[in-house]
Amino acid sequence: MTNNTIPTNKKNNNAALKLFRLKPLNRKTLYLKTLLTGASLAALLVSSGCATSSLLESDNHVSTTSTKQILSEDQIVAFGRPAQALPKTPNATMVIVGEKNSYVLTQGGTEMIGLLSNLTPKNIHVDNDMSFFVPNNDGYFQGEMKLSYAKLKDEFQRSDYQFFLQNNGRDCTSASDLRINAQRFCFSVPVKGAIYPQVSNLSLIQSNYRALSKPYTVSFYTQSQQQQVSRSGANTVQKLVLLPFALAFDVVTFPFQLLEQ
């Protein structure tokens, strides 16, 4: 009888089995794969949780910003000096008299008095807003007052130029000034001061002295850089703090009216 069995080649069969046989995993390899899988899953869950948290807190926005906040604004009534020495502020020289409070200059006041007393008031111009920085809102402020003084060139005298040199005046003549043959000098006075209550003789000043040539506003602000969470709704408005030892006092006004603008 004919044998129909196809002969097999053991050598070839063994090679084929080796190709398809799975290599068993040792314990170390299995542990590493399990660890990687777990880490991937944890990362997925964490990222999903962050997204969820962001959605839940979408009404709040956290940011670090530098914020300028106006603490107070006041109308200026007059410029003067204390009628008597102020306690704890012996170097007070000039006072900006406001309707709400009094603003005593402890630095720069002497320079301002020198300028305002020696220059013709109608030729003085205020070149910046009277806005002062209150770093800690503790009753102390600082800032800068910028003035310019302009006249026709043929009205200036030698003594005027000497005064400008002595008081750090710089030539800031503009094209408009040149067209009318005028000359302008600018002054910048750094100032510091303390915030006091309204002067005691405000009513007397308002009744006996002519108002300033135009309304002037003085403002005070604070500024801080911090992490803030902004929510819908109005922000809390801060108030300007006066010195804890401040007392009302009388003021003597200057015999001139400033300041044209």
Side-chain angles (χ1 to χ4, degrees), residues 141-167:
F141 64 87
Q142 60 190 34
E144 191 174 31
M145 294 192 72
K146 296 181 179 181
L147 306 176
S148 67
Y149 185 73
K151 288 197 304 186
L152 295 175
K153 285 185 177 181
D154 57 11
E155 294 180 349
F156 281 108
Q157 300 178 4
R158 182 181 179 86
S159 58
D160 292 324
Y161 295 111
Q162 289 177 337
F163 178 81
F164 300 150
L165 287 174
Q166 293 169 358
N167 291 272

Side-chain angles (χ1 to χ4, degrees), residues 162-215:
Q162 289 177 337
F163 178 81
F164 300 150
L165 287 174
Q166 293 169 358
N167 291 272
N168 299 316
R170 61 180 180 83
D171 192 327
C172 55
T173 306
S174 66
S176 298
D177 296 326
L178 289 174
R179 282 195 290 268
I180 60 173
N181 199 30
Q183 191 172 10
R184 183 179 302 272
F185 288 85
C186 290
F187 303 86
S188 180
V189 182
V191 298
K192 291 184 179 181
I195 303 164
Y196 276 73
Q198 185 185 86
V199 295
S200 304
N201 58 338
L202 179 63
S203 298
L204 180 63
I205 293 172
Q206 291 175 319
S207 60
N208 291 354
Y209 292 87
R210 181 168 57 89
L212 296 177
S213 57
K214 60 164 287 184

Side-chain angles (χ1 to χ4, degrees), residues 21-53:
R21 185 175 298 154
L22 295 176
K23 184 177 180 179
L25 296 174
N26 57 39
R27 289 185 178 180
K28 184 176 180 181
T29 304
L30 183 60
Y31 172 76
L32 290 175
K33 287 194 173 185
T34 303
L35 185 62
L36 290 173
T37 302
S40 300
L41 181 59
L44 181 61
L45 289 174
V46 169
S47 62
S48 175
C50 288
T52 303
S53 176

